[in-house]
Amino acid sequence: MPISFTTVSDLQTALNADRLAGKKIGFVPTMGALHEGHLSLVKSAAAGNDIVVCSIFVNPTQFNNAADLEKYPRMPDADIHLLKTAGCDYAFLPSVNEIYPNGKILLDIHFGDLEKVMEGEFRPGHFKGMATVVNRLFEIVTPDNAYFGKKDFQQLAIVKNMVKQLGLSVNVIGCETLREEDGLAMSSRNMLLTAAQRKAAPMIYKARRTAQEFIPFHTVEAVKELVTRYIQQSPLLKVEYFEIVNPETLQPIQDWNECKEVQGCIAVLTEGPRLIDNITYATI
Ligand code: PAF
């Protein structure tokens, strides 16, 4: 079993001893309700470090919707059990007060155009809250390496940008998205889908994968429209956005010849959870 900590000081006492012993620290921040995707991050951390810390903290400052925060699945006992199988040494489950001892004060940081599009546009304040907690967790854990899933493509870009802006010494590593057999990207929110929504959801991946074949024959706008229409054949799915972006700047492209590889990023509304995913397209 990983050793569980709930206070910053207890975790830091353990980590200080590890660091003095010359051990390399890998860190996986999560909001719990762990699935194979999270465990693959923990496994990558275990492969590249001596000690693996996984935090489980449902961060209130990154939710722009109170109902979403309340409904977010919480299952710490099952999470700790799963962490054992993946090679995690320390599980960190802090209270809100432990993370925000002086109140929920947000980090004063801006991400320019990176935060103006997609999730930044549709979930105002989300990235400020996410960056605030990730920075706080980095300050507590001071990891050598930190692991994030590429499913949250924009989050990964923002975390890398934050590390650069603040001059932090942590190495941020993006790991591949894990999918269910039918293509649905693994996510803690999937467990909130009804049986009918779960049946419809793989369409999100299938439609966008098929889009690769349209690229030589259609404009960017036309591909976006075709994919949106295809997904919305299901009355249970409503595309909030589907953007095809430059993977570095995250800005929507107008023409295929702007980049050799582009990222198709999508958010889909169901009557239950909101689902996001992304896929890489080769343009030439
Ligand atoms: O991706 C997540 O689960 C969260 O945004 C993170 C990085 C753990 C910060 O709360």
Side-chain angles (χ1 to χ4, degrees):
M1 275 303 204
I3 305 173
S4 293
F5 296 92
T6 55
T7 68
V8 171
S9 67
D10 286 350
L11 175 67
Q12 286 185 329
T13 303
L15 286 172
N16 287 344
D18 293 326
R19 222 166 276 109
L20 275 176
K23 294 189 175 161
K24 215 197 262 182
I25 316 285
F27 177 47
V28 181
T30 80
M31 297 207 297
L34 303 181
H35 49 70
E36 281 300 324
H38 292 115
L39 299 185
S40 76
L41 302 182
V42 173
K43 286 176 192 159
S44 299
N49 302 273
D50 304 304
I51 293 287
V52 177
V53 183
C54 177
S55 62
I56 297 176
F57 178 66
V58 182
N59 172 35
T61 67
Q62 71 187 75
F63 285 80
N64 59 329
N65 176 326
D68 191 22
L69 171 61
E70 199 182 312
K71 272 193 246 139
Y72 201 85
R74 291 161 172 91
M75 45 194 68
D77 293 341
D79 287 345
I80 290 174
H81 191 75
L82 283 174
L83 286 176
K84 182 178 109 178
T85 63
C88 170
D89 300 288
Y90 302 153
F92 181 44
L93 296 96
S95 65
V96 172
N97 274 346
E98 201 65 23
I99 293 294
Y100 297 110
N102 303 316
K104 296 178 197 132
I105 301 163
L106 295 178
L107 193 64
D108 186 13
I109 193 165
H110 297 278
F111 300 102
D113 289 342
L114 284 184
E115 67 180 336
K116 293 197 181 119
V117 291
M118 303 189 288
E119 294 300 284
E121 185 184 343
F122 288 92
R123 297 182 70 192
H126 165 68
F127 284 129
K128 254 268 165 78
M130 183 280 295
T132 300
V133 81
V134 170
N135 182 51
R136 172 80 177 123
L137 290 166
F138 282 175
E139 186 182 274
I140 295 167
V141 178
T142 54
D144 296 281
N145 299 302
Y147 298 78
F148 291 79
K150 287 188 187 169
K151 182 176 92 65
D152 295 299
F153 193 77
Q154 194 171 8
Q155 166 171 283
L156 177 60
I158 295 231
V159 169
K160 284 186 174 166
N161 184 283
M162 177 185 80
V163 163
K164 206 165 162 189
Q165 283 195 54
L166 302 180
L168 307 180
S169 59
V170 55
N171 181 28
V172 174
I173 298 166
C175 302
E176 291 310 320
T177 303
L178 256 66
R179 297 183 180 279
E180 303 290 352
E181 263 177 34
D182 57 15
L184 179 64
M186 289 189 185
S187 163
S188 305
R189 287 188 159 89
N190 292 353
M191 65 180 79
L192 301 174
L193 292 166
T194 63
Q197 289 162 352
R198 175 64 189 82
K199 206 165 161 210
M203 184 89 115
I204 302 168
Y205 178 64
K206 279 183 203 130
R208 285 169 320 114
R209 208 187 41 186
T210 312
Q212 178 68 65
E213 290 154 33
F214 299 152
I215 290 177
F217 311 107
H218 295 280
T219 63
V220 176
E221 270 319 300
V223 169
K224 288 195 326 198
E225 218 179 291
L226 283 165
V227 167
T228 303
R229 242 193 284 148
Y230 187 86
I231 292 173
Q232 292 188 166
Q233 279 172 6
S234 164
L236 302 179
L237 305 175
K238 175 150 184 11
V239 176
E240 188 169 44
Y241 65 76
F242 174 48
E243 291 293 357
I244 300 179
V245 304
N246 175 321
E248 298 298 322
T249 64
L250 302 192
Q251 300 312 296
I253 60 156
Q254 315 300 328
D255 202 286
W256 297 118
N257 61 23
E258 284 175 43
C259 308
K260 282 191 189 139
E261 250 184 28
V262 291
Q263 210 67 23
C265 300
I266 196 161
V268 173
L269 302 173
T270 69
E271 288 204 343
R274 177 176 178 275
L275 303 173
I276 66 167
D277 196 1
N278 68 85
I279 193 167
T280 305
Y281 296 123
T283 56
I284 45 173

